[in-house]
Amino acid sequence: SHCSVILTFKANSFMIYQLFQLFQRRSKVLIALLLTVMLFAAFMISPTHAKVDIPELTGGVMDTTGVLSPSEKAEIDEKIMQLERNSGSQLAVLIIPTLADDDIVDYTVRVMEKWQLGRKGIDDGALLLIALNDRKMRIEVGYGLEGAIPDLSAITILNDYLTPEFRAGNFGKGINNAVDAMITKVKGEELPSLANAPLHITKFSNDAGWLNIIFAYLVAGSILLWCAVICLLYTSPSPRDRSLA
């Protein structure tokens, strides 16, 4: 939270002040500690720890691999937009090359949270995710569509429409058929009408993730700074030792 970040920042500021007070007596130790902090920061932001990026939502079909032809993409996108115009329910297709080290469940949830699919208070959004090179796919739905597309139905759509066509190399046909099946399921669900629950499309920024990262860095920095102060205090000569020197 914002309060946690502020409190941690204040504690770190106090520790930094204490470090500078001891700088002249223990400059070498301080430099070593600063190098440790820099190495720790480099380790934390290294590519091996990076999450797969989530693209900005600009259409019903987000193909970052180019596996769909322009006509295939336009056809699927029009079906998705038509569903949105008629019912307010939002469906999106995201095709990425790979999940890398990301978990597919975690990634789809993050995409749903960032894209905010579905109407507020109804949560009638659905996502079809395909990690092409990994040969992984998943359908994630908001709670408003859990009755229309439960887990079993989602698995059936993937197995009956996507998998066979993908094995045959017909990626566009497989995605098109899967989207048709999802749209049919959504249309069969009793949801509030668009007139009673209009769709509000707004841009938003996902600040929570950045706050969590900043907080993690501040906590890690706090631990290192406390260790530095304790180390310097215990290694600094006492007034009696200085007088005898």
Side-chain angles (χ1 to χ4, degrees), residues 68 76 93-95 128-132 136-139 154-179 181-182:
L68 297 177
I76 299 169
V93 176
L94 173 58
I95 311 170
L128 171 59
L129 171 71
I130 299 166
L132 198 61
K136 292 181 179 179
M137 54 194 75
R138 178 175 172 81
I139 293 175
I155 293 172
T156 300
I157 291 172
L158 296 177
N159 290 340
D160 290 353
Y161 296 100
L162 275 180
T163 302
E165 296 298 341
F166 273 32
R167 285 175 178 169
N170 302 322
F171 299 105
K173 183 178 180 181
I175 295 171
N176 201 338
N177 291 344
V179 168
M182 292 174 69

PDB file of all heavy atoms in Angstrom, residues 68 76 93-95 128-132 136-139 154-179 181-182:
ATOM      1  N   LEU A  68      -1.833 -15.011 -37.565  1.00  0.00           N
ATOM      2  CA  LEU A  68      -3.088 -14.787 -38.282  1.00  0.00           C
ATOM      3  C   LEU A  68      -2.862 -13.838 -39.453  1.00  0.00           C
ATOM      4  O   LEU A  68      -2.114 -12.864 -39.341  1.00  0.00           O
ATOM      5  CB  LEU A  68      -4.146 -14.194 -37.345  1.00  0.00           C
ATOM      6  CG  LEU A  68      -4.610 -15.048 -36.155  1.00  0.00           C
ATOM      7  CD1 LEU A  68      -5.587 -14.267 -35.300  1.00  0.00           C
ATOM      8  CD2 LEU A  68      -5.248 -16.351 -36.638  1.00  0.00           C
ATOM      9  N   ILE A  76     -12.293 -12.394 -37.077  1.00  0.00           N
ATOM     10  CA  ILE A  76     -12.498 -12.751 -35.675  1.00  0.00           C
ATOM     11  C   ILE A  76     -12.782 -11.501 -34.846  1.00  0.00           C
ATOM     12  O   ILE A  76     -13.655 -11.498 -33.972  1.00  0.00           O
ATOM     13  CB  ILE A  76     -11.261 -13.489 -35.128  1.00  0.00           C
ATOM     14  CG1 ILE A  76     -11.034 -14.784 -35.908  1.00  0.00           C
ATOM     15  CG2 ILE A  76     -11.437 -13.807 -33.646  1.00  0.00           C
ATOM     16  CD1 ILE A  76      -9.707 -15.458 -35.631  1.00  0.00           C
ATOM     17  N   VAL A  93      -8.888 -12.138 -27.604  1.00  0.00           N
ATOM     18  CA  VAL A  93      -7.947 -13.214 -27.958  1.00  0.00           C
ATOM     19  C   VAL A  93      -6.544 -12.628 -27.875  1.00  0.00           C
ATOM     20  O   VAL A  93      -6.273 -11.573 -28.451  1.00  0.00           O
ATOM     21  CB  VAL A  93      -8.213 -13.755 -29.374  1.00  0.00           C
ATOM     22  CG1 VAL A  93      -7.162 -14.806 -29.738  1.00  0.00           C
ATOM     23  CG2 VAL A  93      -9.616 -14.336 -29.477  1.00  0.00           C
ATOM     24  N   LEU A  94      -5.677 -13.295 -27.145  1.00  0.00           N
ATOM     25  CA  LEU A  94      -4.286 -12.870 -27.049  1.00  0.00           C
ATOM     26  C   LEU A  94      -3.381 -14.021 -27.476  1.00  0.00           C
ATOM     27  O   LEU A  94      -3.443 -15.113 -26.901  1.00  0.00           O
ATOM     28  CB  LEU A  94      -3.941 -12.447 -25.610  1.00  0.00           C
ATOM     29  CG  LEU A  94      -2.464 -12.125 -25.336  1.00  0.00           C
ATOM     30  CD1 LEU A  94      -1.962 -11.009 -26.239  1.00  0.00           C
ATOM     31  CD2 LEU A  94      -2.259 -11.759 -23.866  1.00  0.00           C
ATOM     32  N   ILE A  95      -2.557 -13.768 -28.490  1.00  0.00           N
ATOM     33  CA  ILE A  95      -1.609 -14.773 -28.980  1.00  0.00           C
ATOM     34  C   ILE A  95      -0.203 -14.231 -28.749  1.00  0.00           C
ATOM     35  O   ILE A  95       0.155 -13.177 -29.275  1.00  0.00           O
ATOM     36  CB  ILE A  95      -1.824 -15.063 -30.478  1.00  0.00           C
ATOM     37  CG1 ILE A  95      -3.307 -15.332 -30.773  1.00  0.00           C
ATOM     38  CG2 ILE A  95      -0.983 -16.249 -30.920  1.00  0.00           C
ATOM     39  CD1 ILE A  95      -3.637 -15.380 -32.248  1.00  0.00           C
ATOM     40  N   LEU A 128      -9.214 -15.641 -24.355  1.00  0.00           N
ATOM     41  CA  LEU A 128      -8.615 -16.837 -24.948  1.00  0.00           C
ATOM     42  C   LEU A 128      -7.135 -16.539 -25.139  1.00  0.00           C
ATOM     43  O   LEU A 128      -6.767 -15.686 -25.937  1.00  0.00           O
ATOM     44  CB  LEU A 128      -9.277 -17.170 -26.288  1.00  0.00           C
ATOM     45  CG  LEU A 128      -8.588 -18.270 -27.123  1.00  0.00           C
ATOM     46  CD1 LEU A 128      -8.520 -19.589 -26.362  1.00  0.00           C
ATOM     47  CD2 LEU A 128      -9.300 -18.454 -28.466  1.00  0.00           C
ATOM     48  N   LEU A 129      -6.295 -17.229 -24.391  1.00  0.00           N
ATOM     49  CA  LEU A 129      -4.848 -17.019 -24.466  1.00  0.00           C
ATOM     50  C   LEU A 129      -4.191 -18.199 -25.165  1.00  0.00           C
ATOM     51  O   LEU A 129      -4.482 -19.362 -24.864  1.00  0.00           O
ATOM     52  CB  LEU A 129      -4.251 -16.875 -23.064  1.00  0.00           C
ATOM     53  CG  LEU A 129      -2.719 -16.858 -23.002  1.00  0.00           C
ATOM     54  CD1 LEU A 129      -2.178 -15.556 -23.570  1.00  0.00           C
ATOM     55  CD2 LEU A 129      -2.204 -17.077 -21.594  1.00  0.00           C
ATOM     56  N   ILE A 130      -3.287 -17.879 -26.075  1.00  0.00           N
ATOM     57  CA  ILE A 130      -2.535 -18.912 -26.792  1.00  0.00           C
ATOM     58  C   ILE A 130      -1.058 -18.548 -26.750  1.00  0.00           C
ATOM     59  O   ILE A 130      -0.664 -17.477 -27.214  1.00  0.00           O
ATOM     60  CB  ILE A 130      -3.003 -19.030 -28.253  1.00  0.00           C
ATOM     61  CG1 ILE A 130      -4.483 -19.410 -28.321  1.00  0.00           C
ATOM     62  CG2 ILE A 130      -2.144 -20.047 -29.012  1.00  0.00           C
ATOM     63  CD1 ILE A 130      -5.106 -19.229 -29.678  1.00  0.00           C
ATOM     64  N   ALA A 131      -0.248 -19.414 -26.145  1.00  0.00           N
ATOM     65  CA  ALA A 131       1.211 -19.266 -26.172  1.00  0.00           C
ATOM     66  C   ALA A 131       1.706 -20.215 -27.263  1.00  0.00           C
ATOM     67  O   ALA A 131       1.844 -21.418 -27.046  1.00  0.00           O
ATOM     68  CB  ALA A 131       1.805 -19.617 -24.813  1.00  0.00           C
ATOM     69  N   LEU A 132       1.946 -19.658 -28.425  1.00  0.00           N
ATOM     70  CA  LEU A 132       2.115 -20.456 -29.642  1.00  0.00           C
ATOM     71  C   LEU A 132       3.287 -21.430 -29.566  1.00  0.00           C
ATOM     72  O   LEU A 132       3.120 -22.638 -29.803  1.00  0.00           O
ATOM     73  CB  LEU A 132       2.276 -19.519 -30.835  1.00  0.00           C
ATOM     74  CG  LEU A 132       2.029 -20.130 -32.220  1.00  0.00           C
ATOM     75  CD1 LEU A 132       0.603 -20.648 -32.342  1.00  0.00           C
ATOM     76  CD2 LEU A 132       2.304 -19.097 -33.299  1.00  0.00           C
ATOM     77  N   LYS A 136       0.611 -24.004 -25.527  1.00  0.00           N
ATOM     78  CA  LYS A 136      -0.253 -23.901 -24.354  1.00  0.00           C
ATOM     79  C   LYS A 136      -1.395 -22.949 -24.665  1.00  0.00           C
ATOM     80  O   LYS A 136      -1.227 -21.969 -25.388  1.00  0.00           O
ATOM     81  CB  LYS A 136       0.531 -23.395 -23.133  1.00  0.00           C
ATOM     82  CG  LYS A 136       1.567 -24.365 -22.617  1.00  0.00           C
ATOM     83  CD  LYS A 136       2.277 -23.793 -21.391  1.00  0.00           C
ATOM     84  CE  LYS A 136       3.313 -24.755 -20.845  1.00  0.00           C
ATOM     85  NZ  LYS A 136       4.008 -24.192 -19.663  1.00  0.00           N
ATOM     86  N   MET A 137      -2.560 -23.228 -24.118  1.00  0.00           N
ATOM     87  CA  MET A 137      -3.722 -22.381 -24.332  1.00  0.00           C
ATOM     88  C   MET A 137      -4.630 -22.443 -23.109  1.00  0.00           C
ATOM     89  O   MET A 137      -4.635 -23.438 -22.384  1.00  0.00           O
ATOM     90  CB  MET A 137      -4.477 -22.803 -25.593  1.00  0.00           C
ATOM     91  CG  MET A 137      -4.870 -24.266 -25.616  1.00  0.00           C
ATOM     92  SD  MET A 137      -5.392 -24.842 -27.256  1.00  0.00           S
ATOM     93  CE  MET A 137      -3.805 -24.972 -28.084  1.00  0.00           C
ATOM     94  N   ARG A 138      -5.356 -21.382 -22.922  1.00  0.00           N
ATOM     95  CA  ARG A 138      -6.243 -21.329 -21.752  1.00  0.00           C
ATOM     96  C   ARG A 138      -7.375 -20.336 -22.003  1.00  0.00           C
ATOM     97  O   ARG A 138      -7.186 -19.320 -22.675  1.00  0.00           O
ATOM     98  CB  ARG A 138      -5.459 -20.916 -20.504  1.00  0.00           C
ATOM     99  CG  ARG A 138      -6.322 -20.787 -19.245  1.00  0.00           C
ATOM    100  CD  ARG A 138      -5.483 -20.489 -18.018  1.00  0.00           C
ATOM    101  NE  ARG A 138      -6.318 -20.192 -16.864  1.00  0.00           N
ATOM    102  CZ  ARG A 138      -6.903 -21.100 -16.102  1.00  0.00           C
ATOM    103  NH1 ARG A 138      -6.719 -22.393 -16.362  1.00  0.00           N
ATOM    104  NH2 ARG A 138      -7.650 -20.752 -15.064  1.00  0.00           N
ATOM    105  N   ILE A 139      -8.545 -20.649 -21.453  1.00  0.00           N
ATOM    106  CA  ILE A 139      -9.682 -19.730 -21.460  1.00  0.00           C
ATOM    107  C   ILE A 139      -9.915 -19.277 -20.028  1.00  0.00           C
ATOM    108  O   ILE A 139     -10.081 -20.101 -19.123  1.00  0.00           O
ATOM    109  CB  ILE A 139     -10.956 -20.404 -22.019  1.00  0.00           C
ATOM    110  CG1 ILE A 139     -10.776 -20.725 -23.514  1.00  0.00           C
ATOM    111  CG2 ILE A 139     -12.172 -19.499 -21.820  1.00  0.00           C
ATOM    112  CD1 ILE A 139     -11.940 -21.496 -24.114  1.00  0.00           C
ATOM    113  N   ALA A 154     -14.725 -24.889 -21.030  1.00  0.00           N
ATOM    114  CA  ALA A 154     -13.516 -24.256 -21.563  1.00  0.00           C
ATOM    115  C   ALA A 154     -12.556 -25.316 -22.102  1.00  0.00           C
ATOM    116  O   ALA A 154     -11.993 -25.171 -23.197  1.00  0.00           O
ATOM    117  CB  ALA A 154     -12.842 -23.423 -20.482  1.00  0.00           C
ATOM    118  N   ILE A 155     -12.366 -26.386 -21.341  1.00  0.00           N
ATOM    119  CA  ILE A 155     -11.476 -27.465 -21.781  1.00  0.00           C
ATOM    120  C   ILE A 155     -12.015 -28.127 -23.045  1.00  0.00           C
ATOM    121  O   ILE A 155     -11.262 -28.450 -23.973  1.00  0.00           O
ATOM    122  CB  ILE A 155     -11.314 -28.508 -20.650  1.00  0.00           C
ATOM    123  CG1 ILE A 155     -10.564 -27.880 -19.474  1.00  0.00           C
ATOM    124  CG2 ILE A 155     -10.572 -29.743 -21.155  1.00  0.00           C
ATOM    125  CD1 ILE A 155     -10.525 -28.754 -18.237  1.00  0.00           C
ATOM    126  N   THR A 156     -13.347 -28.306 -23.104  1.00  0.00           N
ATOM    127  CA  THR A 156     -13.969 -28.917 -24.284  1.00  0.00           C
ATOM    128  C   THR A 156     -13.754 -28.058 -25.525  1.00  0.00           C
ATOM    129  O   THR A 156     -13.450 -28.571 -26.607  1.00  0.00           O
ATOM    130  CB  THR A 156     -15.478 -29.114 -24.043  1.00  0.00           C
ATOM    131  OG1 THR A 156     -15.668 -29.971 -22.907  1.00  0.00           O
ATOM    132  CG2 THR A 156     -16.139 -29.741 -25.265  1.00  0.00           C
ATOM    133  N   ILE A 157     -13.905 -26.740 -25.385  1.00  0.00           N
ATOM    134  CA  ILE A 157     -13.691 -25.835 -26.522  1.00  0.00           C
ATOM    135  C   ILE A 157     -12.254 -25.938 -27.019  1.00  0.00           C
ATOM    136  O   ILE A 157     -12.001 -26.014 -28.231  1.00  0.00           O
ATOM    137  CB  ILE A 157     -14.033 -24.386 -26.120  1.00  0.00           C
ATOM    138  CG1 ILE A 157     -15.538 -24.236 -25.893  1.00  0.00           C
ATOM    139  CG2 ILE A 157     -13.557 -23.404 -27.190  1.00  0.00           C
ATOM    140  CD1 ILE A 157     -15.939 -22.897 -25.305  1.00  0.00           C
ATOM    141  N   LEU A 158     -11.310 -25.952 -26.095  1.00  0.00           N
ATOM    142  CA  LEU A 158      -9.899 -26.042 -26.477  1.00  0.00           C
ATOM    143  C   LEU A 158      -9.599 -27.376 -27.163  1.00  0.00           C
ATOM    144  O   LEU A 158      -8.898 -27.427 -28.188  1.00  0.00           O
ATOM    145  CB  LEU A 158      -9.008 -25.878 -25.249  1.00  0.00           C
ATOM    146  CG  LEU A 158      -9.077 -24.515 -24.533  1.00  0.00           C
ATOM    147  CD1 LEU A 158      -8.183 -24.530 -23.295  1.00  0.00           C
ATOM    148  CD2 LEU A 158      -8.676 -23.383 -25.466  1.00  0.00           C
ATOM    149  N   ASN A 159     -10.138 -28.448 -26.617  1.00  0.00           N
ATOM    150  CA  ASN A 159      -9.849 -29.782 -27.158  1.00  0.00           C
ATOM    151  C   ASN A 159     -10.560 -30.053 -28.486  1.00  0.00           C
ATOM    152  O   ASN A 159     -10.003 -30.725 -29.366  1.00  0.00           O
ATOM    153  CB  ASN A 159     -10.242 -30.858 -26.144  1.00  0.00           C
ATOM    154  CG  ASN A 159      -9.335 -30.875 -24.928  1.00  0.00           C
ATOM    155  OD1 ASN A 159      -8.215 -30.363 -24.972  1.00  0.00           O
ATOM    156  ND2 ASN A 159      -9.814 -31.441 -23.825  1.00  0.00           N
ATOM    157  N   ASP A 160     -11.780 -29.529 -28.618  1.00  0.00           N
ATOM    158  CA  ASP A 160     -12.581 -29.860 -29.811  1.00  0.00           C
ATOM    159  C   ASP A 160     -12.346 -28.898 -30.976  1.00  0.00           C
ATOM    160  O   ASP A 160     -12.514 -29.293 -32.141  1.00  0.00           O
ATOM    161  CB  ASP A 160     -14.077 -29.850 -29.453  1.00  0.00           C
ATOM    162  CG  ASP A 160     -14.457 -31.007 -28.546  1.00  0.00           C
ATOM    163  OD1 ASP A 160     -13.594 -31.878 -28.300  1.00  0.00           O
ATOM    164  OD2 ASP A 160     -15.611 -31.038 -28.061  1.00  0.00           O
ATOM    165  N   TYR A 161     -11.989 -27.657 -30.682  1.00  0.00           N
ATOM    166  CA  TYR A 161     -11.883 -26.660 -31.753  1.00  0.00           C
ATOM    167  C   TYR A 161     -10.445 -26.214 -32.030  1.00  0.00           C
ATOM    168  O   TYR A 161     -10.043 -26.101 -33.193  1.00  0.00           O
ATOM    169  CB  TYR A 161     -12.740 -25.436 -31.414  1.00  0.00           C
ATOM    170  CG  TYR A 161     -14.211 -25.740 -31.338  1.00  0.00           C
ATOM    171  CD1 TYR A 161     -14.834 -25.925 -30.108  1.00  0.00           C
ATOM    172  CD2 TYR A 161     -14.982 -25.869 -32.493  1.00  0.00           C
ATOM    173  CE1 TYR A 161     -16.192 -26.227 -30.034  1.00  0.00           C
ATOM    174  CE2 TYR A 161     -16.341 -26.169 -32.427  1.00  0.00           C
ATOM    175  CZ  TYR A 161     -16.940 -26.355 -31.189  1.00  0.00           C
ATOM    176  OH  TYR A 161     -18.264 -26.656 -31.115  1.00  0.00           O
ATOM    177  N   LEU A 162      -9.701 -25.961 -30.979  1.00  0.00           N
ATOM    178  CA  LEU A 162      -8.347 -25.445 -31.183  1.00  0.00           C
ATOM    179  C   LEU A 162      -7.327 -26.541 -31.489  1.00  0.00           C
ATOM    180  O   LEU A 162      -6.625 -26.478 -32.498  1.00  0.00           O
ATOM    181  CB  LEU A 162      -7.892 -24.659 -29.951  1.00  0.00           C
ATOM    182  CG  LEU A 162      -8.300 -23.189 -29.880  1.00  0.00           C
ATOM    183  CD1 LEU A 162      -7.779 -22.559 -28.598  1.00  0.00           C
ATOM    184  CD2 LEU A 162      -7.765 -22.415 -31.069  1.00  0.00           C
ATOM    185  N   THR A 163      -7.244 -27.520 -30.625  1.00  0.00           N
ATOM    186  CA  THR A 163      -6.185 -28.523 -30.735  1.00  0.00           C
ATOM    187  C   THR A 163      -6.151 -29.238 -32.088  1.00  0.00           C
ATOM    188  O   THR A 163      -5.078 -29.328 -32.709  1.00  0.00           O
ATOM    189  CB  THR A 163      -6.284 -29.543 -29.587  1.00  0.00           C
ATOM    190  OG1 THR A 163      -6.206 -28.837 -28.336  1.00  0.00           O
ATOM    191  CG2 THR A 163      -5.150 -30.554 -29.656  1.00  0.00           C
ATOM    192  N   PRO A 164      -7.287 -29.764 -32.585  1.00  0.00           N
ATOM    193  CA  PRO A 164      -7.230 -30.469 -33.877  1.00  0.00           C
ATOM    194  C   PRO A 164      -6.767 -29.588 -35.030  1.00  0.00           C
ATOM    195  O   PRO A 164      -5.971 -30.020 -35.871  1.00  0.00           O
ATOM    196  CB  PRO A 164      -8.677 -30.945 -34.083  1.00  0.00           C
ATOM    197  CG  PRO A 164      -9.282 -30.954 -32.719  1.00  0.00           C
ATOM    198  CD  PRO A 164      -8.641 -29.825 -31.997  1.00  0.00           C
ATOM    199  N   GLU A 165      -7.263 -28.347 -35.074  1.00  0.00           N
ATOM    200  CA  GLU A 165      -6.897 -27.440 -36.163  1.00  0.00           C
ATOM    201  C   GLU A 165      -5.442 -26.983 -36.034  1.00  0.00           C
ATOM    202  O   GLU A 165      -4.740 -26.819 -37.044  1.00  0.00           O
ATOM    203  CB  GLU A 165      -7.834 -26.231 -36.187  1.00  0.00           C
ATOM    204  CG  GLU A 165      -9.293 -26.558 -36.481  1.00  0.00           C
ATOM    205  CD  GLU A 165      -9.481 -27.177 -37.872  1.00  0.00           C
ATOM    206  OE1 GLU A 165      -8.588 -27.029 -38.744  1.00  0.00           O
ATOM    207  OE2 GLU A 165     -10.528 -27.804 -38.087  1.00  0.00           O
ATOM    208  N   PHE A 166      -4.992 -26.789 -34.809  1.00  0.00           N
ATOM    209  CA  PHE A 166      -3.594 -26.394 -34.606  1.00  0.00           C
ATOM    210  C   PHE A 166      -2.655 -27.501 -35.059  1.00  0.00           C
ATOM    211  O   PHE A 166      -1.591 -27.236 -35.637  1.00  0.00           O
ATOM    212  CB  PHE A 166      -3.354 -26.048 -33.130  1.00  0.00           C
ATOM    213  CG  PHE A 166      -3.670 -24.616 -32.800  1.00  0.00           C
ATOM    214  CD1 PHE A 166      -4.683 -23.937 -33.465  1.00  0.00           C
ATOM    215  CD2 PHE A 166      -2.966 -23.940 -31.817  1.00  0.00           C
ATOM    216  CE1 PHE A 166      -4.976 -22.628 -33.171  1.00  0.00           C
ATOM    217  CE2 PHE A 166      -3.250 -22.631 -31.510  1.00  0.00           C
ATOM    218  CZ  PHE A 166      -4.261 -21.959 -32.189  1.00  0.00           C
ATOM    219  N   ARG A 167      -3.021 -28.738 -34.786  1.00  0.00           N
ATOM    220  CA  ARG A 167      -2.183 -29.865 -35.219  1.00  0.00           C
ATOM    221  C   ARG A 167      -2.109 -29.941 -36.738  1.00  0.00           C
ATOM    222  O   ARG A 167      -1.100 -30.384 -37.299  1.00  0.00           O
ATOM    223  CB  ARG A 167      -2.742 -31.166 -34.651  1.00  0.00           C
ATOM    224  CG  ARG A 167      -2.470 -31.353 -33.155  1.00  0.00           C
ATOM    225  CD  ARG A 167      -3.150 -32.587 -32.622  1.00  0.00           C
ATOM    226  NE  ARG A 167      -2.838 -32.791 -31.198  1.00  0.00           N
ATOM    227  CZ  ARG A 167      -3.460 -33.657 -30.422  1.00  0.00           C
ATOM    228  NH1 ARG A 167      -4.433 -34.421 -30.916  1.00  0.00           N
ATOM    229  NH2 ARG A 167      -3.113 -33.786 -29.149  1.00  0.00           N
ATOM    230  N   ALA A 168      -3.182 -29.504 -37.397  1.00  0.00           N
ATOM    231  CA  ALA A 168      -3.213 -29.509 -38.859  1.00  0.00           C
ATOM    232  C   ALA A 168      -2.602 -28.234 -39.447  1.00  0.00           C
ATOM    233  O   ALA A 168      -2.523 -28.098 -40.674  1.00  0.00           O
ATOM    234  CB  ALA A 168      -4.651 -29.677 -39.345  1.00  0.00           C
ATOM    235  N   GLY A 169      -2.192 -27.302 -38.578  1.00  0.00           N
ATOM    236  CA  GLY A 169      -1.598 -26.057 -39.055  1.00  0.00           C
ATOM    237  C   GLY A 169      -2.607 -24.990 -39.423  1.00  0.00           C
ATOM    238  O   GLY A 169      -2.238 -23.954 -39.963  1.00  0.00           O
ATOM    239  N   ASN A 170      -3.897 -25.227 -39.110  1.00  0.00           N
ATOM    240  CA  ASN A 170      -4.951 -24.267 -39.437  1.00  0.00           C
ATOM    241  C   ASN A 170      -5.224 -23.367 -38.224  1.00  0.00           C
ATOM    242  O   ASN A 170      -6.260 -23.485 -37.559  1.00  0.00           O
ATOM    243  CB  ASN A 170      -6.227 -25.003 -39.854  1.00  0.00           C
ATOM    244  CG  ASN A 170      -6.005 -25.920 -41.042  1.00  0.00           C
ATOM    245  OD1 ASN A 170      -5.261 -25.583 -41.977  1.00  0.00           O
ATOM    246  ND2 ASN A 170      -6.643 -27.081 -41.038  1.00  0.00           N
ATOM    247  N   PHE A 171      -4.298 -22.493 -37.934  1.00  0.00           N
ATOM    248  CA  PHE A 171      -4.399 -21.681 -36.721  1.00  0.00           C
ATOM    249  C   PHE A 171      -5.596 -20.724 -36.776  1.00  0.00           C
ATOM    250  O   PHE A 171      -6.341 -20.608 -35.798  1.00  0.00           O
ATOM    251  CB  PHE A 171      -3.104 -20.888 -36.515  1.00  0.00           C
ATOM    252  CG  PHE A 171      -1.897 -21.760 -36.351  1.00  0.00           C
ATOM    253  CD1 PHE A 171      -0.977 -21.902 -37.390  1.00  0.00           C
ATOM    254  CD2 PHE A 171      -1.681 -22.454 -35.177  1.00  0.00           C
ATOM    255  CE1 PHE A 171       0.138 -22.710 -37.246  1.00  0.00           C
ATOM    256  CE2 PHE A 171      -0.561 -23.262 -35.024  1.00  0.00           C
ATOM    257  CZ  PHE A 171       0.346 -23.401 -36.062  1.00  0.00           C
ATOM    258  N   GLY A 172      -5.766 -20.056 -37.910  1.00  0.00           N
ATOM    259  CA  GLY A 172      -6.872 -19.121 -38.040  1.00  0.00           C
ATOM    260  C   GLY A 172      -8.215 -19.798 -37.882  1.00  0.00           C
ATOM    261  O   GLY A 172      -9.103 -19.293 -37.185  1.00  0.00           O
ATOM    262  N   LYS A 173      -8.380 -20.955 -38.513  1.00  0.00           N
ATOM    263  CA  LYS A 173      -9.650 -21.684 -38.434  1.00  0.00           C
ATOM    264  C   LYS A 173      -9.916 -22.148 -37.010  1.00  0.00           C
ATOM    265  O   LYS A 173     -11.045 -22.073 -36.513  1.00  0.00           O
ATOM    266  CB  LYS A 173      -9.629 -22.880 -39.384  1.00  0.00           C
ATOM    267  CG  LYS A 173     -10.937 -23.662 -39.421  1.00  0.00           C
ATOM    268  CD  LYS A 173     -10.866 -24.811 -40.419  1.00  0.00           C
ATOM    269  CE  LYS A 173     -12.173 -25.591 -40.442  1.00  0.00           C
ATOM    270  NZ  LYS A 173     -12.117 -26.744 -41.388  1.00  0.00           N
ATOM    271  N   GLY A 174      -8.893 -22.639 -36.347  1.00  0.00           N
ATOM    272  CA  GLY A 174      -9.066 -23.117 -34.983  1.00  0.00           C
ATOM    273  C   GLY A 174      -9.492 -22.010 -34.037  1.00  0.00           C
ATOM    274  O   GLY A 174     -10.418 -22.182 -33.230  1.00  0.00           O
ATOM    275  N   ILE A 175      -8.842 -20.853 -34.138  1.00  0.00           N
ATOM    276  CA  ILE A 175      -9.187 -19.726 -33.263  1.00  0.00           C
ATOM    277  C   ILE A 175     -10.573 -19.202 -33.604  1.00  0.00           C
ATOM    278  O   ILE A 175     -11.373 -18.884 -32.704  1.00  0.00           O
ATOM    279  CB  ILE A 175      -8.134 -18.613 -33.404  1.00  0.00           C
ATOM    280  CG1 ILE A 175      -6.776 -19.120 -32.896  1.00  0.00           C
ATOM    281  CG2 ILE A 175      -8.561 -17.363 -32.632  1.00  0.00           C
ATOM    282  CD1 ILE A 175      -5.619 -18.195 -33.189  1.00  0.00           C
ATOM    283  N   ASN A 176     -10.893 -19.143 -34.898  1.00  0.00           N
ATOM    284  CA  ASN A 176     -12.204 -18.684 -35.325  1.00  0.00           C
ATOM    285  C   ASN A 176     -13.304 -19.581 -34.766  1.00  0.00           C
ATOM    286  O   ASN A 176     -14.309 -19.100 -34.221  1.00  0.00           O
ATOM    287  CB  ASN A 176     -12.260 -18.681 -36.859  1.00  0.00           C
ATOM    288  CG  ASN A 176     -13.355 -17.772 -37.388  1.00  0.00           C
ATOM    289  OD1 ASN A 176     -14.304 -17.454 -36.701  1.00  0.00           O
ATOM    290  ND2 ASN A 176     -13.212 -17.349 -38.636  1.00  0.00           N
ATOM    291  N   ASN A 177     -13.111 -20.884 -34.852  1.00  0.00           N
ATOM    292  CA  ASN A 177     -14.118 -21.831 -34.358  1.00  0.00           C
ATOM    293  C   ASN A 177     -14.247 -21.754 -32.833  1.00  0.00           C
ATOM    294  O   ASN A 177     -15.351 -21.861 -32.288  1.00  0.00           O
ATOM    295  CB  ASN A 177     -13.760 -23.251 -34.770  1.00  0.00           C
ATOM    296  CG  ASN A 177     -13.887 -23.477 -36.269  1.00  0.00           C
ATOM    297  OD1 ASN A 177     -14.510 -22.674 -36.970  1.00  0.00           O
ATOM    298  ND2 ASN A 177     -13.289 -24.547 -36.770  1.00  0.00           N
ATOM    299  N   ALA A 178     -13.110 -21.588 -32.157  1.00  0.00           N
ATOM    300  CA  ALA A 178     -13.147 -21.495 -30.695  1.00  0.00           C
ATOM    301  C   ALA A 178     -13.884 -20.231 -30.249  1.00  0.00           C
ATOM    302  O   ALA A 178     -14.676 -20.261 -29.300  1.00  0.00           O
ATOM    303  CB  ALA A 178     -11.728 -21.508 -30.140  1.00  0.00           C
ATOM    304  N   VAL A 179     -13.641 -19.133 -30.943  1.00  0.00           N
ATOM    305  CA  VAL A 179     -14.337 -17.883 -30.625  1.00  0.00           C
ATOM    306  C   VAL A 179     -15.833 -18.033 -30.882  1.00  0.00           C
ATOM    307  O   VAL A 179     -16.661 -17.554 -30.082  1.00  0.00           O
ATOM    308  CB  VAL A 179     -13.745 -16.712 -31.435  1.00  0.00           C
ATOM    309  CG1 VAL A 179     -14.633 -15.473 -31.335  1.00  0.00           C
ATOM    310  CG2 VAL A 179     -12.334 -16.395 -30.956  1.00  0.00           C
ATOM    311  N   ALA A 181     -17.571 -20.730 -30.620  1.00  0.00           N
ATOM    312  CA  ALA A 181     -18.110 -21.549 -29.535  1.00  0.00           C
ATOM    313  C   ALA A 181     -18.247 -20.728 -28.250  1.00  0.00           C
ATOM    314  O   ALA A 181     -19.246 -20.860 -27.520  1.00  0.00           O
ATOM    315  CB  ALA A 181     -17.201 -22.757 -29.294  1.00  0.00           C
ATOM    316  N   MET A 182     -17.284 -19.878 -27.984  1.00  0.00           N
ATOM    317  CA  MET A 182     -17.350 -19.029 -26.792  1.00  0.00           C
ATOM    318  C   MET A 182     -18.489 -18.027 -26.891  1.00  0.00           C
ATOM    319  O   MET A 182     -19.228 -17.797 -25.922  1.00  0.00           O
ATOM    320  CB  MET A 182     -16.018 -18.304 -26.596  1.00  0.00           C
ATOM    321  CG  MET A 182     -14.858 -19.223 -26.231  1.00  0.00           C
ATOM    322  SD  MET A 182     -13.247 -18.368 -26.173  1.00  0.00           S
ATOM    323  CE  MET A 182     -13.471 -17.327 -24.720  1.00  0.00           C
TER     324      MET A 182
END
